[in-house]
Each structure stands twice: as structure tokens, then as C-alpha cells.
Amino acid sequence: MPPTTLDNLVIVAVVGALAPLALGFLPWLRVPSAVVELVAGVVLGPAVLGWVHIDQPVQVLSLIGLAFLLFLAGLEIDVRRLRGALLRSAALGYLLSLAVGAPIAVGLAALHWVSSPMLVAIALSATSLGLVVPVLKDAGQTDSTAGRLAILSATVADFAAIVLLSLLFSASGGSPAGRLSLLAVFLILVVATGAALAKLGRGMRLGEVLVRLQDTTAAIRVRFAVVLLLGFAALATRVGLESILGAFLAGVLVSVLDSDMSSHPTFRVKLEAIGFGFVVPVFFVASGARLDLQGLLDQPSALLRVPVFVLALLAVRGLPALLSWRMLGRRRTVAVALLQATSLPFIVAAVQIGIELHQITPITGAAMVTAGLASVLVFPPAALRLLRDP
């Protein structure tokens, strides 16, 4: 392999290292490093400086980064919380999101901004669980009613949006009905794999070996988690579903199997180190480099799509929080609405799939991703202020 083929990857890696460092020197700038990485990708990509191009090494690691990002999102899910009145409220809220999003998406299609209203409605219906949880932790609200509702709502939204996207808009083709059957088979395989691994893990001999090897250079738990991630992602693609669904369910499965972390407290830290320390930044920088910023700037009418999509996010995911008005009160309801309307990773993934399937134009995709960036920059700080103030 010629040395020059790694030049782009070196630049991307440098950006991934410098983004959190810059934020460390600016603690008052409360934004996720993913935002800085995306913006840096735009600046360094073909739209501005032209220093970064999406060649094969960057493309492969970006794909793995997306899978790892969804895997870590699945790892955040605590299935023990998925019960009771709050779960019913979260599920009803997601159905309301789709009901609100459908006419908005149809209106956008009437303006010829998109060719698939359903894809846009699904893209707008997700919430970034990985961004919601840190905000609630900062506010000390993870165990409050508002915090639990926000986490459950984000969990339901992420899971449902990924399933719907995979069923209705898989790049592998096939009918939705056929993919529904494949999804059922795939879920059975996931459950069967989980049951088999749980049974094996209870074996005393294997348990002793795992404990002995987990904190050595073998890092055995991490290796098996990566096998599950890549295996499920590949299997999902093989059966005609999206790889992000397989990656997400792999994370959920690991979360279930790893519910008792007393004997291996650093396991998840190691997984996050691989993801957020290496491949996930590649995905965000590469996504920024793909962003058609020039198309937005060249057409003032296209640039107007950004605030429209921001308002659409707020309506689609924020309005369902009103269902909990009596339970939470005004301030916390608004805070939950803002948190539910915070979305970026799923929008980026949905836009990439939409562009690949010619369901979304690059300019509209750029507007949607920019709107997701705006939601991350504006909504969580405002929600944190509402949760902290008396």
C-alpha cells in the first residue's frame, strides 16, 4: 500500500485527537466533540479547504465508526427500565412523533425538498440517547421522574427509528413485508445468541477464564463484544437489513449480558475507548467532509431549510413531551421536550442512506445534518439550565 493512501486518515485522526483537547481548554463551551469533528470535517473537506477526501481507508473506518456508535447507543439501554407507566408514556410519545412528523414531511415533499416523506419523518423522530444521558447526569436528574422519562423516550425513539429505517429503507432492497419476516428471524437469532452466551457465562470454568483474561492484554470481553458487533452488523446486511440495526442490537445484547458489572467494572470503559477514542471520530469527520455545504451556501433558498428542519425537530420530538405536563410541571416538561428534540448521529446515518437510495438530495441532507448540529448546540444547554434552576 503506498504511504500516501494513509494521508487522509492521519488528518482525520489528528482532528479526532484535537477536538476534545480544544473543548478541554474551553470548558464553558458545552458542546459534544462530535459537533467539533463534524464542523472540522466540513472545513477540511472538499467544500472548503479540500485537505480531506473520503478514500478507502477513511471509508472503511467510517463505516466501522458508525456501527460502533450505534453499538454504544445500544449499550446505553437498560432493559430493566423498560416497564411501567413511563414506558407507556414514552411509547405513546413516539407514536405521536410519527403522527406529527408525517404531515410535516409531506409538506416538505410538496416543496420538492425531499422525495420520500416517510424517510424524513423517521429521521426526525429519533433522539440521541448518548447526548441526553450526560445532560441529565450533569443536572443530577437521572433518577428523577423527568430524567427517567427522557431516557425512556430516547431509548424508545432510537430503537423504533432504527428498526423502521431498516425495514422501510434498507439499501439491500426487497419489500418491507419481506424485511419484516427477516427482522423476526434476525431477532430470534439475537435472542438465541444471548441465551446461549448467558448459559455459557454461568459455567464456573468459563467464568474463571474470562475473569483471568479480561484485564490482561487478551482483553477477552472486549474481543467478544467486537465479534458480536461485527457479526450482527454483517448478518443484518446479509439478510437484507441495515447494518446499523445489527450493531445497535449487539449493544443491547451486551448491555443485558453485562448487567452485573461488579467483576469487570472497566469493561464498558474499554469499549468506549475503542469507539470514542478511534473509530467514531472518523465517522463524524468523514460525515462532515461529505456535507454539501457549498450547495447550501450557493442557494439562499436551500439555506432556509436549516431553520425549518430545526423547528420540525422541535415539533416532532418536543410536542410529545406535553403528554407529561401534569406529571412534570412546566419547566421540566420544556426541558424534556428540548432533550427529546436533540438528535444528530441518527440524522447523519439516515441522510447517508437517503442519499445512497436517491431519496434525499445532498443539499437537503446537508440542511438536515446542519439542523441536527443546531439542535445539539442549543437544546441540551437550555434543558440543563431549566433542570438546574429552581
Side-chain angles (χ1 to χ4, degrees), residues 331-332 385-390:
R331 294 180 67 86
R332 281 174 169 72
R385 193 174 298 111
L386 288 169
L387 290 170
R388 279 179 170 173
D389 292 344

Tab-separated table of all heavy atoms in Angstrom, residues 331-332 385-390:
chain	number	residue	atom	x	y	z
A	331	ARG	N	-41.576	23.694	33.727
A	331	ARG	CA	-40.137	23.791	33.441
A	331	ARG	C	-39.566	22.449	33.005
A	331	ARG	O	-38.829	22.364	32.018
A	331	ARG	CB	-39.390	24.316	34.669
A	331	ARG	CG	-39.741	25.753	35.055
A	331	ARG	CD	-38.959	26.176	36.281
A	331	ARG	NE	-37.544	26.257	36.005
A	331	ARG	CZ	-36.944	27.336	35.499
A	331	ARG	NH1	-37.635	28.411	35.205
A	331	ARG	NH2	-35.649	27.337	35.283
A	332	ARG	N	-39.902	21.411	33.740
A	332	ARG	CA	-39.338	20.105	33.401
A	332	ARG	C	-39.941	19.535	32.114
A	332	ARG	O	-39.278	18.798	31.390
A	332	ARG	CB	-39.513	19.138	34.567
A	332	ARG	CG	-38.467	19.367	35.647
A	332	ARG	CD	-38.677	18.525	36.891
A	332	ARG	NE	-37.511	18.610	37.759
A	332	ARG	CZ	-37.172	19.670	38.468
A	332	ARG	NH1	-37.932	20.758	38.413
A	332	ARG	NH2	-36.083	19.680	39.224
A	385	ARG	N	-30.153	24.174	31.876
A	385	ARG	CA	-30.452	25.372	32.668
A	385	ARG	C	-31.822	25.260	33.339
A	385	ARG	O	-32.002	25.599	34.510
A	385	ARG	CB	-30.399	26.599	31.763
A	385	ARG	CG	-30.384	27.924	32.509
A	385	ARG	CD	-30.174	29.103	31.565
A	385	ARG	NE	-28.883	28.997	30.891
A	385	ARG	CZ	-28.712	28.757	29.600
A	385	ARG	NH1	-29.779	28.571	28.834
A	385	ARG	NH2	-27.523	28.688	29.068
A	386	LEU	N	-32.792	24.721	32.619
A	386	LEU	CA	-34.141	24.554	33.173
A	386	LEU	C	-34.161	23.515	34.292
A	386	LEU	O	-34.883	23.661	35.284
A	386	LEU	CB	-35.111	24.144	32.078
A	386	LEU	CG	-35.481	25.230	31.057
A	386	LEU	CD1	-36.223	24.607	29.880
A	386	LEU	CD2	-36.327	26.309	31.720
A	387	LEU	N	-33.369	22.454	34.137
A	387	LEU	CA	-33.348	21.404	35.145
A	387	LEU	C	-32.602	21.839	36.405
A	387	LEU	O	-32.939	21.394	37.511
A	387	LEU	CB	-32.688	20.140	34.567
A	387	LEU	CG	-33.489	19.392	33.495
A	387	LEU	CD1	-32.626	18.327	32.854
A	387	LEU	CD2	-34.744	18.780	34.090
A	388	ARG	N	-31.582	22.670	36.237
A	388	ARG	CA	-30.799	23.092	37.387
A	388	ARG	C	-31.462	24.211	38.192
A	388	ARG	O	-31.399	24.240	39.406
A	388	ARG	CB	-29.425	23.566	36.922
A	388	ARG	CG	-28.440	22.437	36.655
A	388	ARG	CD	-27.116	22.980	36.170
A	388	ARG	NE	-26.104	21.946	36.145
A	388	ARG	CZ	-24.889	22.111	35.632
A	388	ARG	NH1	-24.557	23.292	35.096
A	388	ARG	NH2	-23.999	21.135	35.655
A	389	ASP	N	-32.115	25.142	37.493
A	389	ASP	CA	-32.741	26.271	38.177
A	389	ASP	C	-33.955	25.810	38.962
A	389	ASP	O	-34.692	24.912	38.517
A	389	ASP	CB	-33.164	27.342	37.170
A	389	ASP	CG	-31.959	28.005	36.517
A	389	ASP	OD1	-30.844	27.854	37.051
A	389	ASP	OD2	-32.120	28.659	35.479
A	390	PRO	N	-34.200	26.398	40.127
A	390	PRO	CA	-35.371	26.010	40.914
A	390	PRO	C	-36.666	26.428	40.239
A	390	PRO	O	-36.705	27.345	39.450
A	390	PRO	CB	-35.168	26.778	42.232
A	390	PRO	CG	-34.286	27.927	41.873
A	390	PRO	CD	-33.404	27.438	40.776
